[in-house]
Amino acid sequence: MIEAALSAPRNYPSPERLRYLYAAARLAIQRLTPIVAAQVDGAAPGPERASRERAVAEAEAVMREGPSPSPLAASLTISALGRALWGLQQFAGAER
């Protein structure tokens, strides 16, 4: 799903596929954000904590974006959701 979301601006998926990718990416981000945020709360100051804070902040920022009726704008939003999801997944399985 991440690969499909990231490549949406290049591949111009169908409107149905765009809606699916948008909903699926948002759901995954909603699931992973609290996991990574909890890691931030328990981490000592340093680069690892900063990376997790940045991943959470980027995910929260992109989640404020709504869907767009324009296929290009929707593709760009979905790509941003994919980047945020990829960032969260880098830490979601990691220990504190």
Side-chain angles (χ1 to χ4, degrees), residues 11-68:
N11 297 335
Y12 292 112
S14 68
E16 296 80 24
R17 182 75 173 151
L18 285 172
R19 283 191 294 276
Y20 167 78
L21 289 171
Y22 180 81
R26 287 182 61 87
L27 185 63
I29 289 170
Q30 288 171 341
R31 184 178 52 82
L32 295 178
T33 299
I35 294 169
V36 179
Q39 293 173 353
V40 170
D41 292 341
E48 287 294 317
R49 180 184 178 138
S51 294
R52 284 171 171 80
E53 285 175 332
R54 191 169 31 261
V56 169
E58 288 173 5
E60 289 173 344
V62 76
M63 290 293 283
R64 288 190 286 272
E65 302 268 336
S68 172

